Amino acid sequence: MHDASTAVQPHHLSEHLEILAAHTRPTTASGFRRAQERGRVPARTTLVTFDDGYADLSSEIAPRLRAAGVPSTMFVVSGAIDRDREFWWDALTRALLGPERGSGTL
């Protein structure tokens, strides 16, 4: 599980998505690629991505994306499914920002 101190909290994510939906043109990675190939990427096009594949993508993130009407591209680290070891970046965050920071080794 990722460290909530470095993540956007769910209620704030909803606010962010509402602002994106109101003021930009959200698209998916494939939609952006098609626009690039046509040589016409509309002004204010945004691409929302999630790149760690945490479990909350389906329980917390996807419902908020749907509610705001914001498409996204999600990358899942398939080799980490059912793995009992945390990602290195989570270990680093815990070591630097966690309650026991400075103790132990990475």
Side-chain angles (χ1 to χ4, degrees):
M1 182 53 115
H2 59 92
D3 181 352
S5 68
T6 60
V8 174
Q9 298 303 303
H11 64 282
H12 286 141
L13 176 63
S14 294
E15 293 172 4
H16 294 195
L17 294 172
E18 289 170 14
I19 291 167
L20 282 174
H23 300 286
T24 71
R25 296 174 189 250
T27 189
T28 60
S30 59
F32 185 78
R33 174 72 183 228
R34 284 191 300 276
Q36 278 185 312
E37 289 170 351
R38 290 189 308 266
R40 292 178 294 195
V41 177
R44 296 186 167 210
T45 295
T46 55
L47 180 59
V48 176
T49 65
F50 296 89
D51 61 354
D52 350 43
Y54 292 111
D56 64 357
L57 284 178
S58 63
S59 63
E60 296 290 336
I61 308 301
R64 286 173 170 75
L65 289 163
R66 278 191 296 278
V70 174
S72 69
T73 299
M74 298 178 181
F75 299 95
V76 177
V77 182
S78 61
I81 295 173
D82 292 331
R83 165 176 123 164
D84 60 355
R85 216 176 73 208
E86 68 185 338
F87 292 118
W88 67 266
W89 54 85
D90 289 329
L92 180 62
T93 299
R94 188 175 32 75
L96 296 175
L97 302 175
E100 298 174 17
R101 64 181 162 264
S103 64
T105 59
L106 289 176

